[in-house]
Amino acid sequence: MEDRSAERGEAMEEKRTEMEQEREQRLEQHRERVENRFQLYTQRFETIIEKMRSRLEKMEERGIETADIELQLQQAEASISQAEVLGEQALSAIEAVGTAETQEEAQALIADAKTAVEATRSAYKAVGEVLKDVLQMMKDATVVANTAGETAE
């Protein structure tokens, strides 16, 4: 009789350990997916900014005023840096979920992690909006320059 209860206790302990390992593995996979997504956002925005800078140089060569556009581009770069910081905080919040001792604590940490990830996504969306504004400013400046060039002729 004691052997059976000891076997059951061992089996339950093995199952608990196995479930804990699976949970930790899922948590790590989720953290990696989120991290990859944030890195992708950063890479895409940096590529766009590079292209915009190249276009700005061409505009300057044509004598188009680009100071305001440059300021907006610098703001976008600063916003990317802020989003990266938020991303690191979100990844730390995801990792913290694995340290929870109780189910209630885990639920609270999960809520915090979700909030942090959402804040990071919002920050990246804001970068996208700034870059849309920069693109529109570049288009407007080019149109004005082209129109002024046509009237001068």
Side-chain angles (χ1 to χ4, degrees):
M1 193 71 140
E2 289 178 24
D3 288 341
R4 273 194 202 170
S5 68
E7 286 176 14
R8 279 189 210 148
E10 288 175 18
M12 287 176 62
E13 187 60 35
E14 284 179 29
K15 187 69 172 172
R16 241 183 257 127
T17 303
E18 186 178 309
M19 288 174 53
E20 180 65 27
Q21 288 173 344
E22 286 178 15
R23 185 175 74 101
E24 288 174 8
Q25 185 179 15
R26 282 193 314 269
L27 187 61
E28 180 59 27
Q29 288 171 345
H30 178 66
R31 193 197 71 73
E32 287 175 5
R33 280 192 309 271
V34 170
E35 181 178 27
N36 290 339
R37 185 180 322 135
F38 292 161
Q39 287 175 348
L40 181 65
Y41 292 158
T42 298
Q43 289 171 352
R44 283 183 179 166
F45 287 138
E46 287 175 348
T47 300
I48 290 168
I49 288 173
E50 256 181 62
K51 290 178 181 179
M52 287 180 164
R53 286 212 184 281
S54 173
R55 190 169 173 189
L56 269 181
E57 289 174 14
K58 291 175 184 172
M59 290 171 67
E60 286 173 355
E61 289 171 5
R62 290 182 52 204
I64 300 173
E65 178 58 41
T66 60
D68 291 341
I69 299 169
E70 180 63 36
L71 286 174
Q72 283 292 97
L73 216 47
Q74 289 173 359
Q75 180 185 348
E77 289 174 324
S79 296
I80 289 172
S81 296
Q82 291 171 344
E84 288 175 325
V85 169
L86 288 174
E88 289 300 320
Q89 292 171 355
L91 294 174
S92 295
I94 291 170
E95 289 172 3
V97 172
T99 64
E101 298 292 326
T102 65
Q103 185 67 25
E104 293 80 23
E105 184 182 1
Q107 291 301 322
L109 290 172
I110 287 170
D112 291 345
K114 284 181 180 180
T115 301
V117 168
E118 198 54 43
T120 304
R121 291 180 74 212
S122 294
Y124 277 112
K125 284 181 181 181
V127 172
E129 292 302 316
V130 170
L131 290 176
K132 283 180 188 176
D133 292 344
V134 169
L135 182 60
Q136 189 60 50
M137 290 172 74
M138 292 172 85
K139 287 179 181 179
D140 293 345
T142 303
V143 167
V144 168
N146 288 341
T147 305
E150 289 175 5
T151 33
E153 295 174 3

